[in-house]
Amino acid sequence: MTEMSEALIETVDLHKNFGDLEVLKGINETIHKGEVVTIIGPSGGGKSTFLRCLNLLEKPTSGSVIFEGNELNNATNLDDHRQKIGMVFQQFNVFPHLDVLANITITPMLEKKVSKADAEAEAMELLKQVGLEEKAHEYPRKLSGGQKQRLAIVRAMAMHPDVMLFDEPTSALDPEMVKGVLEVIQHLAESGMTCVIVTHEMGFAKQVSDRVLFIDGGVVAEEGTPEEVFDAPKNERTKEFLSQVL
Amino acid sequence: MGKGLIEVFITYWPIFLKGLGGTLEYAFIAVFFGSLIGALIALLHLSKNKILSAIAGIYVNILRGTPLLVQMYISYYFLPMAFPSLNNIDKVYYVLLALILNSSAYVSEIFRGGIQSVDVGQTEAARSLGMSASHCMKKIILPQAIKNILPALGNEYISMIKETSLAGTFMLYELMYTKTLLANKYLIWQPLFIIAGIYLLVTLTLSWGVKQMEKRLSVSD
């Protein structure tokens, strides 16, 4: 990314507690339009919780999440905002009772009143892009993990989101499936889609990101360009973490 | 000992048949209306509103924690006493009301279990796409939950077939009531064995049917 464009998502002093456990301890971050941000850090450090707060799947204990200028915490039209915030999960979460095509078309048809014909035409186009057009009428049980995850990605894309959130999208995949999914995400990122990606794939993070956040102990302990964070980390905890995973 | 079982059955089979019809009908009414109320109770129970959820929990605990027979007595004797304007309603309905409410408590737990058995990731995926809570429940969660709910509802119907035997106490014409009818003809032990045999035949057959349904539903996994 060359210049700082407008803010897409902003968090202000974001806190999240689970019972007595303080998982997020005040995060102030801004995700800019067109930016690709990867989030790395040790397990339990709060990176997935942070991501899940961005579309309010987790309700912040305090602080706010501002999406396209709208405070989401108390938004009455949260569903409308969520339609513009795509999310991809570690466990895919495709709908097992719907075939591949219906997985993609159901939400546009229900919530955006897109006609069946239009929704299906677009779904087929999206499936083609990720090499799944021949699976359109299969049920998810017939798909491999990598195929399910690609389906989950295009299912989110069918809502025409302004940003895509990825929560460890390759962590549940067999090793040989990882590459195909990362390619799809990379392609998205290169096409200008704003992406926030929680990942353990350091090589991928380095390659695809405009900016890397290292989240540990509920705070952003370090952030910078991939070169800054991976090649010349300043924080001791970042150094320690990277020495263990690289 | 008097007459044999077969002789009694051959002579009085229309009475038993009518009793069985009553049993199946009352059990069906109980489970059908119990399901409608039970689904509502389950949704309340799962609601984020703590007060509604607590009320549903208390409802379920009271109805499952007290004997059906006691519930029937309360409905049959206490309701018309407390609300004299209800007095001209046929007493049958008071017994049915107890059956329905009792069944609704069990059915609500079946629904709740079925809904909770669906991975929370399904809800998260649907809601993160921007699907409304009610669409998510109707289009994503319930269709998956039904796989666990349908066989369990079948089993609830089978239990209810046995539970309705208590309705005979209140002169409802069901299978167990035939015992009272035939006692007037000095037939004491024969009807009991015939009744037991009919219950057994019906419940075993229906259990087999439920098993087949479970097998069918699991194929689509």
Side-chain angles (χ1 to χ4, degrees):
Chain A
M1 206 170 69
T2 47
E3 81 273 21
M4 276 294 156
S5 51
E6 59 181 292
L8 193 69
I9 310 183
E10 230 182 309
T11 67
V12 183
D13 197 26
L14 190 65
H15 283 79
K16 176 68 189 179
N17 299 352
F18 291 114
D20 290 336
L21 187 67
E22 197 179 6
V23 181
L24 298 182
K25 300 175 181 169
I27 295 189
N28 295 287
E29 266 302 330
T30 303
I31 311 291
H32 301 90
K33 211 168 177 184
E35 197 179 21
V36 177
V37 177
T38 54
I39 303 176
I40 61 169
S43 300
K47 54 191 189 312
S48 280
T49 305
F50 173 69
L51 192 78
R52 289 163 58 85
C53 280
L54 297 183
N55 66 352
L56 252 69
L57 273 190
E58 299 293 351
K59 202 170 164 32
T61 307
S62 68
S64 48
V65 178
I66 299 158
F67 172 67
E68 298 183 333
N70 307 290
E71 164 131 19
L72 291 189
N73 304 48
N74 299 307
T76 47
N77 55 345
L78 182 58
D79 292 337
D80 295 338
H81 293 303
R82 278 176 169 161
Q83 289 171 16
K84 296 184 206 146
I85 309 175
M87 187 162 198
V88 173
F89 300 85
Q90 184 176 350
Q91 298 298 338
F92 328 130
N93 297 343
V94 293
F95 304 134
H97 62 300
L98 301 176
D99 70 10
V100 166
L101 201 59
N103 259 273
I104 302 171
T105 57
I106 185 168
T107 319
M109 284 166 59
L110 281 176
E111 307 299 341
K112 290 181 149 184
K113 309 292 171 210
V114 178
S115 74
K116 189 169 192 220
D118 289 351
E120 289 189 344
E122 183 176 5
M124 285 309 295
E125 187 52 44
L126 286 163
L127 285 173
K128 216 173 276 176
Q129 289 172 21
V130 295
L132 286 176
E133 70 269 35
E134 279 168 17
K135 304 283 183 190
H137 299 290
E138 298 279 12
Y139 279 83
R141 66 178 179 278
K142 294 265 182 79
L143 303 182
S144 70
Q147 290 169 329
K148 281 182 194 164
Q149 195 61 302
R150 281 181 274 155
L151 167 60
I153 293 170
V154 292
R155 178 179 66 178
M157 292 304 298
M159 296 302 287
H160 302 284
D162 294 337
V163 54
M164 286 285 288
L165 312 177
F166 295 88
D167 190 3
E168 302 194 26
T170 59
S171 296
L173 293 177
D174 292 333
E176 72 271 21
M177 305 286 178
V178 171
K179 196 165 156 256
V181 170
L182 290 183
E183 277 171 4
V184 171
I185 300 173
Q186 183 169 6
H187 183 77
L188 255 181
E190 284 167 358
S191 73
M193 174 62 72
T194 310
C195 295
V196 186
I197 309 165
V198 171
T199 185
H200 291 292
E201 300 283 337
M202 295 303 151
F204 175 72
K206 198 169 171 180
Q207 185 189 355
V208 78
S209 325
D210 297 311
R211 194 153 56 97
V212 179
L213 308 184
F214 173 70
I215 292 187
D216 183 27
V219 295
V220 178
E222 180 157 5
E223 67 177 295
T225 64
E227 293 74 25
E228 286 167 349
V229 174
F230 286 109
D231 301 337
K234 297 185 193 77
N235 188 305
E236 282 308 314
R237 287 189 297 185
T238 319
K239 286 179 196 167
E240 194 190 326
F241 173 75
L242 290 174
S243 74
Q244 282 163 2
V245 296
L246 286 181
Chain B
M1 291 288 278
K3 295 178 178 177
L5 281 178
I6 295 172
E7 199 186 339
V8 170
F9 184 72
I10 289 172
T11 315
Y12 295 107
W13 68 267
I15 289 179
F16 292 112
L17 191 67
K18 191 175 171 200
L20 176 62
T23 290
L24 295 177
E25 186 189 334
Y26 295 141
F28 181 79
I29 290 172
V31 176
F32 181 81
F33 290 102
S35 297
L36 298 183
I37 301 172
L40 186 73
I41 299 293
L43 290 177
L44 290 182
H45 211 156
L46 290 168
S47 132
K48 278 189 188 139
N49 185 321
K50 288 201 176 115
I51 296 169
L52 291 180
S53 173
I55 291 172
I58 292 167
Y59 176 89
V60 170
N61 277 332
I62 290 176
L63 284 167
R64 297 204 314 170
T66 56
L68 174 57
L69 189 57
V70 176
Q71 294 163 16
M72 284 176 164
Y73 271 111
I74 290 175
S75 178
Y76 193 82
Y77 289 112
F78 177 74
L79 280 185
M81 257 166 61
F83 306 100
S85 58
L86 298 177
N87 255 329
N88 42 8
I89 294 175
D90 193 327
K91 290 276 194 177
V92 171
Y93 293 107
Y94 292 101
V95 180
L96 279 179
L97 178 70
L99 279 171
I100 289 168
L101 294 185
N102 182 270
S103 185
S104 77
Y106 286 91
V107 170
S108 85
E109 288 297 277
I110 291 171
F111 270 85
R112 194 163 71 105
I115 289 168
Q116 283 180 329
S117 71
V118 178
D119 182 14
V120 66
Q122 293 291 307
T123 305
E124 292 188 346
R127 299 309 305 278
S128 77
L129 285 163
M131 205 183 277
S132 68
S134 66
H135 280 151
C136 173
M137 184 54 79
K138 271 187 278 188
K139 302 288 183 175
I140 304 298
I141 305 304
L142 284 181
Q144 296 184 58
I146 213 84
K147 205 178 278 191
N148 301 321
I149 289 174
L150 275 184
L153 275 185
N155 287 326
E156 167 64 12
Y157 181 57
I158 294 169
S159 311
M160 206 25 92
I161 283 173
K162 292 178 283 178
E163 301 283 356
T164 51
S165 60
L166 295 173
T169 315
F170 301 89
M171 307 296 175
L172 264 66
Y173 201 136
E174 47 71 60
L175 199 47
M176 198 60 198
Y177 182 61
T178 58
K179 176 206 70 151
T180 313
L181 290 177
L182 294 176
N184 297 335
K185 303 190 190 308
Y186 304 105
L187 295 168
I188 305 301
W189 65 273
Q190 301 92 332
L192 292 176
F193 283 96
I194 292 170
I195 289 167
I198 296 175
Y199 274 122
L200 194 61
L201 189 71
V202 170
T203 54
L204 287 181
T205 309
L206 289 173
S207 293
W208 180 83
V210 168
K211 282 231 173 64
Q212 299 306 306
M213 177 163 69
E214 269 175 336
K215 265 189 208 159
R216 268 244 184 112
L217 287 169
S218 69
V219 169
S220 65
D221 268 330

